[in-house]
Amino acid sequence: MRFVFDSLKTAQAACWLINRAGGTLNYMVLIKLLYLSDRQSLVETGMPITGDRMVAMPHGPVLSRTLDQINMGEPVAPEQPSPWFEYITEPNGYSVSAKRANEVDELSKYEIGVLDSVYHKFGSMNIWVLRDFTHTLPEWSDPHGSSFPIEPADILRASGRSDAEIREIVELAEEVWFMDSLAGIAHVGSR
């Protein structure tokens, strides 16, 4: 199942969570809060907030592209700009900070509610307690030093969705992904 990764929405969601924490947040906590927000939205609506690829890593589940942005820093090539760095600083030690006040024009009221709910429930957890909690999620298993994809269908199945409901969600996600890829081709062709 593929979702359309929305880098601007991801940056705004991260900025929202960081600002809720006072402007600076441990990036492992941020990654977990974003993952849990995507997971909650997926379970409730069939669609995640960010559309990022979910992966199992030794410290628990994470959002792949978001973690890459934090770990690799801002791209040097100007043709690969990322809205992430308009909103979030590169790590200082193990923390990232918000560069902006909350701009949420890409986020729906529902998505802001999910982010707030996840922050309220998990935002004050110690980093290691939060990591250990994510190890209890049914979709995570230890990749033994590596990583592997977490299938959204597994999360939906574990949350009680029927196979028929999961098929409908997969079909919708694939249609949205296909339409987005066509729009990208049209955009490139118009240059």
Side-chain angles (χ1 to χ4, degrees):
M1 179 180 325
R2 296 179 284 194
F3 296 105
V4 175
F5 175 61
D6 189 324
S7 58
L8 180 54
K9 186 182 278 193
T10 302
Q12 288 186 359
C15 192
W16 179 266
L17 290 167
I18 293 167
N19 281 323
R20 287 290 312 264
T24 300
L25 190 59
N26 176 284
Y27 68 76
M28 190 161 126
V29 171
L30 176 62
I31 288 289
K32 299 300 178 204
L33 295 177
L34 286 168
Y35 176 85
L36 291 167
S37 297
D38 262 13
R39 185 184 195 280
Q40 180 176 325
S41 181
L42 176 66
V43 167
E44 293 176 356
T45 69
M47 298 297 281
I49 295 171
T50 70
D52 202 348
R53 194 169 68 97
M54 300 170 163
V55 297
M57 295 190 74
H59 287 297
V62 301
L63 301 178
S64 178
R65 291 180 183 167
T66 304
L67 181 61
D68 287 347
Q69 289 182 111
I70 292 170
N71 286 337
M72 291 187 231
E74 191 164 6
V76 181
E79 66 274 1
Q80 297 175 355
S82 170
W84 179 267
F85 298 102
E86 295 173 24
Y87 289 82
I88 313 297
T89 64
E90 289 193 33
N92 181 7
Y94 293 101
S95 295
V96 290
S97 298
K99 289 183 176 179
R100 297 181 177 204
N102 289 324
E103 293 178 21
V104 293
D105 55 315
E106 296 297 315
L107 297 167
S108 69
K109 288 181 182 179
Y110 166 79
E111 291 166 333
I112 292 168
V114 169
L115 293 166
D116 283 343
S117 169
V118 166
Y119 183 80
H120 177 73
K121 189 170 182 181
F122 301 104
S124 63
M125 278 187 178
N126 168 286
I127 183 174
W128 306 114
V129 172
L130 183 56
R131 179 207 53 190
D132 291 348
F133 168 77
T134 64
H135 285 187
T136 68
L137 297 172
E139 66 270 16
W140 183 83
S141 60
D142 189 349
H144 302 287
S146 185
S147 69
F148 56 81
I150 292 174
E151 293 301 325
D154 293 340
I155 296 170
L156 293 168
R157 197 168 291 106
S159 72
R161 294 287 186 115
S162 70
D163 287 342
E165 289 174 306
I166 293 170
R167 273 193 303 278
E168 287 178 22
I169 291 168
V170 168
E171 288 173 13
L172 177 60
E174 288 295 324
E175 286 175 19
V176 170
W177 185 88
F178 178 73
M179 295 305 289
D180 186 72
S181 66
L182 286 179
I185 291 169
H187 178 69
V188 169
S190 67
R191 288 184 191 177

